[in-house]
Amino acid sequence: MTGNIKFDFELPEGLAARGAGLRAQYAPERPLWVAGSTHGGLEEQAVLEAQQRVREVHPDALLVLAPRHPPRFDEVAGALRAAGISFVRRSASAGDGTDAACAVLLLDSLGELLDFYAAADVSFVGGSLVPRGGHNLLEPAALGVPILVGPDNSNSEEIARLLIARGAAEVVHDAGELGTRVTALLGDSAARERMGAAGRASVDSNRGALEKLLSLIEPLLDGTPEHRADPHR
């Protein structure tokens, strides 16, 4: 009746400026996409395979890989090294940039995923190519970043259905589809703009649930005997 209060969040102050700074640092003239909150095994394998496909068409494209769980940072770095993928760790390059040979920036720091979403051309939200229920789609949507997501979004089915129906998000099922869609979107600024605008509009049009909920609760609180007895409550 009141809507979903998850839409009633505010993006942090200064986020756009931080995103622009990261873009200038790591990919001033390069396509950049973010795979956020990824899980190990098949999902990260699919993301890395997709990046290989992307770089066949966009050879200077940079993937920002943000594993979901911090204890896995070293594990993921080891896997990238073993696979022969050129990468740098965010923790080791905070003051440096990357060159076109670097295929992956491993986001092994805390609290910066939203900043990198703000820097991105395209986003993939993890936990969705594997049975984990998916993660937060509203942050990239509110930032106007096109969203790609796997088929499992059981943690927020209503939000996923809305964003997909409105054209803000697309479902991909494997590495091939992910690579194909990232490649296409990186080469089509108009499509990115349409998806991004649909994401912002979807979030903005669903705000207000918290205010509606409070408007229903407050009259009930005003009418309780405890509340009438203590005017300071």
Side-chain angles (χ1 to χ4, degrees):
M1 295 291 290
T2 60
N4 190 333
I5 63 172
K6 290 183 178 180
F7 286 92
D8 290 329
F9 72 99
E10 296 295 334
L11 294 172
E13 187 174 352
L15 177 59
R18 291 194 299 276
L22 290 170
R23 185 61 182 258
Q25 178 180 353
Y26 287 107
E29 297 180 359
R30 303 175 61 185
L32 185 154
W33 66 290
V34 174
S37 300
T38 58
H39 290 252
L42 293 176
E43 184 162 77
E44 283 170 354
Q45 291 174 19
V47 169
L48 294 177
E49 182 180 333
Q51 172 64 346
Q52 291 178 325
R53 293 169 181 255
V54 169
R55 281 173 68 90
E56 290 174 0
V57 179
H58 304 286
D60 57 345
L62 178 65
L63 163 65
V64 178
L65 179 62
R68 174 69 173 176
H69 299 113
R72 296 190 56 247
F73 290 160
D74 288 342
E75 170 195 333
V76 177
L80 289 166
R81 197 173 296 112
I85 297 173
S86 174
F87 77 99
V88 296
R89 299 178 68 144
R90 166 66 173 162
S91 61
S93 65
D96 304 318
T98 59
D99 58 30
C102 177
V104 176
L105 172 65
L106 175 58
L107 185 54
D108 61 346
S109 60
L110 299 178
E112 290 193 303
L113 177 56
L114 191 56
D115 294 350
F116 275 94
Y117 277 146
D121 295 308
V122 178
S123 67
F124 166 76
V125 179
S128 57
L129 278 176
V130 289
R132 292 290 186 271
H135 296 298
N136 193 340
L137 300 174
L138 290 179
E139 290 176 340
L143 285 164
V145 181
I147 299 166
L148 299 173
V149 67
D152 186 357
N153 293 281
S154 54
N155 289 336
S156 54
E157 290 182 3
E158 177 187 353
I159 291 171
R161 282 198 301 268
L162 173 70
L163 294 176
I164 293 166
R166 295 194 176 182
E170 296 180 8
V171 175
V172 294
H173 296 86
D174 53 34
E177 290 185 8
L178 178 59
T180 296
R181 291 308 299 142
V182 172
T183 298
L185 286 168
L186 290 180
D188 190 342
S189 60
R192 296 199 306 271
E193 180 59 33
R194 286 195 300 271
M195 290 184 70
R200 285 195 202 93
S202 297
V203 174
D204 291 343
S205 64
N206 281 277
R207 293 188 187 276
L210 181 58
E211 183 178 349
K212 294 175 186 176
L213 187 61
L214 290 175
S215 71
L216 294 172
I217 292 174
E218 288 172 349
L220 299 177
L221 293 176
D222 290 342
T224 60
E226 297 95 326
H227 188 82
R228 289 197 301 270
D230 184 357
H232 299 292
R233 291 186 63 181

